[in-house]
Structures are given as C-alpha cells and as structure tokens.
Amino acid sequence: MRVAIGADHGGFEMKSQLAALLTQAGHHVADLGNRVFDPDDDYPDFAIPVALAVAEGQVDRGILVCGSGVGASVAANKVAGVRAALIHDNFSARQGVEDDNMNVLCLGGRTTGAAVAWDCVQSFLNAQFSGAERHRRRLAKVEQTEKALPQPRP
Ligand code: RB5
C-alpha cells in the first residue's frame, strides 16, 4: 500500500519507528516530514501535506503523529475528502475504516505506546470500507456538509 506519513516534534520519534516498520512490511512510504527533529515545528505543516496526498490520490492512506494526535486530526480534517481520526485502540482502527471509511490515522506520540501504535497501524491498513448502505448514507451526509461549507452563525 502507498502510505504518506508525517509528524511534528511531538510525534517525530514514533513516526521514525512506524516508517521503518511500514517499509519492512513492504509498504511504499512517503515521509512528508518533518525529516529532522525540530522542537519548534508546527503540526499543520505536516498534517496538511499528508491530507492532500490522500485527498489527491497520490497515496492510499495517511498516518499522522503529533504529541496527542489531536492537532493533527483537526488539521487533516480541513482538507476535503479526508476522514481523519485520533485512534488509541485496535478496534477503532479497524472499524473506523470498515464503517467510516477513515483514510488518515492519527496517533499520539506522547500518549500511545509503540506496540499499540503499530497494532493500530496494521489494523488500519488491513481494513477495507464495508460499503454497507447505512454507512454510505451516513458518509453522504458528511460529504454534503463538506460541500456546502456551512459557516457558524454569529
Ligand atoms: C506540540 O507540543 C503539541 O501541541 C502537538 O504535538 C500536538 O499534541 C497537538 O495536538
């Protein structure tokens, strides 16, 4: 599978570990940074490129790591066509794809252990969207909102 991966300083170490494991497992990994550890870098600078790579079809899935995974998921979800979620467990990693067609997995480098993170990544990559009618209906409602770009009321 073609996988784009990115992280800020909070996820830098975990990203390096995951990129190595993904490569060993035979995936094509596009590391979209940060390529060096920079304690002052900002998660949107890596989350947006990964999200765009997924939305544009350059890769099949994206993986983002920041300190908590929260900022990365918030940023990635601003890109149309991206369905990113912060994941802490194997069940959600699999079901997030099967039911919700999640295409970007977000992890917390400071909150999730390396073994659990790798388990989540494998479940995420091995899962496929079920295509069930009820899930398509729910996702269509999400897409409708994305297209309409509603603004908050003052
Ligand atoms: C950076 O220190 C930290 O705020 C960031 O990695 C992330 O946790 C944000 O959600």
Side-chain angles (χ1 to χ4, degrees):
M1 202 173 259
R2 299 168 305 160
V3 182
I5 192 165
D8 71 352
H9 56 282
F12 183 81
E13 192 181 335
M14 181 178 281
K15 174 175 74 68
S16 306
Q17 292 166 352
L18 292 175
L21 289 166
L22 286 164
T23 303
Q24 276 170 29
H27 297 286
H28 296 278
V29 180
D31 186 341
L32 302 186
N34 202 343
R35 297 288 183 88
V36 293
F37 179 78
D38 175 356
D40 293 322
D41 64 10
D42 301 324
Y43 59 79
D45 295 334
F46 314 104
I48 301 299
V50 167
L52 286 170
V54 173
E56 291 167 357
Q58 294 164 28
V59 294
D60 303 302
R61 302 269 171 93
I63 297 171
L64 287 168
V65 195
C66 67
S68 63
V70 173
S73 60
V74 167
N77 277 314
K78 297 297 180 190
V79 175
V82 166
R83 294 170 296 276
L86 170 57
I87 296 294
H88 294 111
D89 67 278
N90 213 37
F91 174 82
S92 304
R94 177 177 54 77
Q95 194 196 257
V97 177
E98 291 176 349
D99 291 8
D100 311 314
N101 210 1
M102 171 173 64
N103 51 14
V104 175
L105 176 83
C106 301
L107 295 163
R110 295 173 179 155
T111 58
T112 300
V116 172
W118 177 233
D119 258 2
C120 290
V121 165
Q122 290 177 94
S123 297
F124 168 62
L125 295 180
N126 287 332
Q128 294 298 324
F129 178 52
S130 71
E133 192 281 330
R134 67 186 185 284
H135 297 312
R136 289 190 186 280
R137 182 182 72 236
R138 292 161 190 163
L139 284 167
K141 292 180 181 182
V142 175
E143 275 168 32
Q144 209 177 7
T145 304
E146 188 174 72
K147 283 186 190 129
L149 288 175
Q151 300 297 312
R153 285 165 285 218

